[in-house]
């Protein structure tokens, strides 16, 4: 049984929900456009760019572009979800699945904990978005 929440708590939940959507969507769009060729301590293996990172994981450049396309589409769905809320579930779920893959890849090559941090944080954000989405839409009478 769900209990209604106060207006202040509802406002805070909506604010956190929107901020998390923006964080996930804009971060993914940045990583898969402007930062594809940038080095980072979070890249797998000894990669200095996205192509080298996918190669370190035993994946092809084509696979990289397929993953990137899906992540960009999921990010766009999240942004559109700010206006059309039903899109948030598809965008956050899709992104979450890809983040599980992104967490498993550095682990599969023995890269340790640091390269998993961004994708772990993004997975946490996606799960939180989905939970808040459900809670907000139940309290608004749309669930």
């Amino acid at each position: 049984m769900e209990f209604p929440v106060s207006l202040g708590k509802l406002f805070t939940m909506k604010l956190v929900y929107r901020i998390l959507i923006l964080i996930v969507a804009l971060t993914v769009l940045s990583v898969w456009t402007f930062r594809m060729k940038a080095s980072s301590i979070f890249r797998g293996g000894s990669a200095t760019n996205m192509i080298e990172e996918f190669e370190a994981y035993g994946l092809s450049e084509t696979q990289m572009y397929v993953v990137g396309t899906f992540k960009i589409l999921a990010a766009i769905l999240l942004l559109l979800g700010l206006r059309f809320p039903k899109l948030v579930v598809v965008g956050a779920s899709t992104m979450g699945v890809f983040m599980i893959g992104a967490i498993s890849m550095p682990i599969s090559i023995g890269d340790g904990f640091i390269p998993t941090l961004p994708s772990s944080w993004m997975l946490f954000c996606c799960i939180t978005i989905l939970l808040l989405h459900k809670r907000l839409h139940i309290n608004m009478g749309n669930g």
Side-chain angles (χ1 to χ4, degrees):
M1 176 177 206
E2 293 290 327
F3 296 98
V5 295
S6 70
L7 287 178
K9 188 172 181 181
L10 186 62
F11 174 80
T12 302
M13 288 169 53
K14 285 176 92 172
L15 182 63
V16 169
Y17 173 75
R18 290 180 175 154
I19 289 170
L20 289 176
I21 287 172
L22 289 171
I23 288 171
V24 171
L26 296 177
T27 299
V28 168
L29 290 172
S30 170
V31 167
W32 283 92
T33 55
F34 309 115
R35 299 198 37 81
M36 275 191 73
K37 295 180 181 178
S39 64
S40 167
I41 63 166
F42 302 111
R43 294 236 183 256
S46 58
T48 60
N49 60 52
M50 189 74 72
I51 293 172
E52 290 176 10
E53 184 173 15
F54 269 68
E55 287 173 354
Y57 300 141
L59 302 171
S60 70
E61 188 173 341
T62 301
Q63 289 169 311
M64 179 195 73
Y65 286 116
V66 170
V67 168
T69 299
F70 277 102
K71 283 186 173 183
I72 288 170
L73 289 173
I76 291 168
L77 287 173
L78 283 169
L79 291 174
L80 289 172
L82 292 170
R83 176 70 176 99
F84 306 102
K86 290 182 181 182
L87 297 177
V88 169
V89 173
V90 177
S93 298
T94 302
M95 192 70 74
V97 168
F98 277 97
M99 290 305 153
I100 291 169
I103 293 166
S104 69
M105 295 314 260
I107 293 169
S108 73
I109 64 169
D111 255 358
F113 180 69
I114 298 294
T116 67
L117 289 177
S119 46
S120 297
W121 167 248
M122 295 300 237
L123 177 60
F124 172 79
C125 289
C126 288
I127 292 168
T128 304
I129 289 166
L130 291 168
L131 292 172
L132 286 172
H133 181 84
K134 180 178 180 183
R135 181 68 186 236
L136 288 169
H137 288 83
I138 287 171
N139 280 292
M140 291 185 202
N142 298 329

